[in-house]
Amino acid sequence: MSKAVSTLTLQKYKKDGRKIVALTAYDYSMAKILDRAGVDLILVGDSLAMVALGHRTTHAVTMEEMLHHTRAVTRGVSTAMVVADLPFMSYQVDVTQAIMNAGRFVKEAQAHAVKLEGATRLNLEIIERLVGMGIPVMGHLGYTPQAIHGLGGARVQGRSADEAIKLLDDARALEMAGCFSVVLEMVPTAVAKMVTEKLNIPTVGIGAGNACDGQILVTDDLLGKFTDFLPRFVRRYADLSTVCQEAVASYAADVKSGDFPNASESFLLPKDEEAALNKQLQLDKSVPAGSTEIC
Ligand code: KIV
């Protein structure tokens, strides 16, 4: 059995130049597949609001829903590090709210770490407090989906020299506050490379080029299971949507034709019991229907 991945493992990977492999999962069976395939870090992303629950943005997902899915994921994992996303409005009010909610992921869902978006002054305080109490925190910079309306849409961030410097300052602040890693989403390759080189903690990119210390994608995008839209930075490794539709269409045809289920997919009555049953049915037939007395 492989050794469990921890924050120290990921730091060592950065030092050794070994890329971190990260993906999202929202349920037990997918978490088990990713874990067995050797994924280092599994994120229970708030993207589940969109790909698993059908919302248009990540805003609507609740703490209870995130906890429910995180529990399912941690049950399927034996090696990977499981990071749970703090959903929108679960940490933006104050430090106490953030600590209570982050703590629930560790206590009630066995997550190994939490992730939050942005490097506001409040976030930096939250990170320091959580790290101080032993809860590892992953940062998230660049395009931060919880701020989609404030950012004017899902747009590449850090496209000017000034914005790139601001991104670097934010990344350094997250590192100083104690984050063990930072996700860089939708950032030009050169900017992600510069941030990656300046930080001691590993960066994990999504739409941020190949210079990051690791990569993450939404698994449903990678597998072609979620098809509402395809971000330009996604590489599709399978077309599960078509595979599943074809399989379901074959099942429907077999049900309609009576081909499913066949004998080997059914439970047979032992021969002697079948004979006894037929005998009883014969006897039953000799009693005219409706002749049973009603007391
Ligand atoms: O919610 C999510 O899936 C994420 C990844 C895209 C990094 O935050």
Side-chain angles (χ1 to χ4, degrees):
M1 213 171 91
S2 334
K3 210 165 157 260
V5 176
S6 71
T7 55
L8 298 181
T9 320
L10 302 180
Q11 308 270 347
K12 184 169 181 324
Y13 285 175
K14 173 164 180 127
K15 208 165 131 256
D16 296 349
R18 191 292 211 174
K19 294 273 189 184
I20 296 164
V21 181
L23 280 173
T24 62
Y26 317 113
D27 63 45
Y28 169 80
S29 53
M30 186 54 75
K32 206 163 166 182
I33 290 169
L34 302 188
D35 192 61
R36 285 188 176 168
V39 169
D40 301 309
L41 184 150
I42 297 177
L43 173 70
V44 188
D46 59 359
S47 52
L48 93 81
M50 300 168 79
V51 303
L53 304 179
H55 296 293
R56 294 273 177 273
T57 68
T58 58
H59 295 133
V61 70
T62 64
M63 267 302 293
E64 297 311 319
E65 287 165 338
M66 288 297 299
L67 283 166
H68 175 77
H69 286 266
T70 305
R71 281 186 206 108
V73 166
T74 55
R75 282 183 210 121
V77 168
S78 56
T79 305
M81 177 168 188
V82 178
V83 180
D85 245 342
L86 284 169
F88 182 60
M89 290 317 293
S90 70
Y91 61 98
Q92 283 88 347
V93 176
D94 57 31
V95 177
T96 307
Q97 181 211 27
I99 291 174
M100 295 301 289
N101 284 325
R104 290 190 71 192
F105 279 110
V106 177
K107 192 178 174 74
E108 297 175 31
Q110 286 72 54
H112 304 125
V114 295
K115 175 166 85 58
L116 48 70
E117 297 184 6
T120 61
R121 233 173 301 149
L122 174 60
N123 280 6
L124 298 177
E125 205 185 325
I126 291 166
I127 294 160
E128 276 179 23
R129 292 284 299 277
L130 290 177
V131 172
M133 62 184 67
I135 300 179
V137 184
M138 187 174 207
H140 187 155
L141 295 175
Y143 171 59
T144 45
Q146 292 177 10
I148 183 169
H149 301 313
L151 295 172
R155 305 156 69 93
V156 177
Q157 303 295 307
R159 291 188 91 160
S160 68
D162 285 349
E163 276 182 32
I165 293 297
K166 166 81 171 81
L167 197 78
L168 175 62
D169 288 346
D170 284 351
R172 281 183 159 148
L174 290 179
E175 175 171 302
M176 284 283 290
C179 279
F180 71 88
S181 173
V182 183
V183 168
L184 297 177
E185 180 162 356
M186 288 177 73
V187 168
T189 305
V191 176
K193 182 171 186 290
M194 178 268 293
V195 173
T196 300
E197 286 169 358
K198 301 270 185 203
L199 292 190
N200 295 306
I201 56 172
T203 59
V204 177
I206 173 163
N210 62 6
C212 293
D213 297 306
Q215 296 293 328
I216 185 162
L217 282 177
V218 169
T219 300
D220 296 54
D221 288 338
L222 170 143
L223 295 178
K225 187 164 165 264
F226 178 75
T227 54
D228 289 4
F229 57 88
L230 181 69
R232 137 161 193 210
F233 54 78
V234 170
R235 187 180 295 178
R236 266 209 176 135
Y237 287 84
D239 183 5
L240 279 200
S241 172
T242 305
V243 169
C244 293
Q245 277 183 55
E246 285 173 2
V248 172
S250 300
Y251 165 73
D254 288 351
V255 169
K256 286 176 188 165
S257 72
D259 180 64
F260 178 81
N262 62 25
S264 70
E265 291 153 343
S266 310
F267 302 101
L268 302 182
L269 197 59
K271 284 268 173 284
D272 52 343
E273 293 297 335
E274 196 170 342
L277 176 65
N278 284 335
K279 208 165 156 192
Q280 288 201 30
L281 288 174
Q282 285 303 323
L283 285 175
D284 230 35
K285 260 195 208 157
S286 58
V287 183
S291 67
T292 322
E293 255 179 54
I294 300 169
C295 305

